[in-house]
Amino acid sequence: MVASFNSLKAPEPVGCYPHAKRVGNLLFLSGVGPRKRNSKKIPGVTVGADGVVLDYNIKEQCVSVFDNVKLILEESGSCWENIVDVTVFLTNIKTDFDAYNKVYESYFKSPFPTRTTVEVNALPTPIAIELKVIATI
């Protein structure tokens, strides 16, 4: 069984992709950022009139991303505890990893999912973090 899901609560995708795709008993989430539904504003980000990021709060962005992941999981028939793998994309791993890791530890309990954290040059919108998640249903 293959089925696509789009959340009615999570932020709209910024491209041509679903929020999640179910294959058998696995749920694959597309990259999830911190934006809120029906808004271009990004929690924890201050953008200048020219569109350049002036300042950002990685903790606030992490909380918003995790909340968005929860929304997508629940609407797709899964839950936070069913996450088996997380890929994290950070735009500044040197300055943001410790703060991100503390927020991560407050959301995940043992047994922890597998995790890969990588630094990327940029993300599609002016965000500092994006998660790619695999969960069971």
Side-chain angles (χ1 to χ4, degrees):
M1 172 182 158
V2 176
S4 294
F5 297 93
N6 280 305
S7 169
L8 298 175
K9 298 177 183 174
E12 299 84 348
V14 296
C16 297
Y17 55 87
H19 282 119
K21 187 165 286 268
R22 179 180 180 170
V23 180
N25 72 334
L26 292 176
L27 186 67
F28 298 86
L29 272 61
S30 295
V32 179
R35 283 184 307 110
K36 295 299 178 191
R37 187 153 189 97
N38 298 320
S39 176
K40 299 274 187 213
K41 186 172 177 348
I42 301 166
V45 176
T46 304
V47 180
D50 57 0
V52 174
V53 174
L54 301 174
D55 190 29
Y56 70 93
N57 181 314
I58 190 64
K59 291 178 187 176
E60 201 173 324
Q61 284 192 57
C62 290
V63 168
S64 188
V65 169
F66 294 164
D67 290 346
N68 286 338
V69 167
K70 280 183 178 183
L71 290 171
I72 295 167
L73 288 170
E74 290 168 2
E75 285 186 86
S76 301
S78 188
C79 64
W80 188 262
E81 294 74 24
N82 287 2
I83 295 174
V84 294
D85 185 64
V86 179
T87 303
V88 183
F89 302 97
L90 295 173
T91 58
N92 193 338
I93 204 164
K94 288 180 182 161
T95 60
D96 295 342
F97 182 82
D98 289 340
Y100 145 75
N101 203 44
K102 284 180 182 160
V103 176
Y104 185 95
E105 286 179 287
S106 72
Y107 274 77
F108 288 95
K109 305 298 177 220
S110 183
F112 300 104
T114 57
R115 181 179 88 179
T116 302
T117 305
V118 295
E119 181 177 62
V120 295
N121 191 32
L123 290 161
T125 59
I127 60 177
I129 181 171
E130 183 174 282
L131 259 62
K132 176 95 175 91
V133 173
I134 301 171
T136 59
I137 296 181

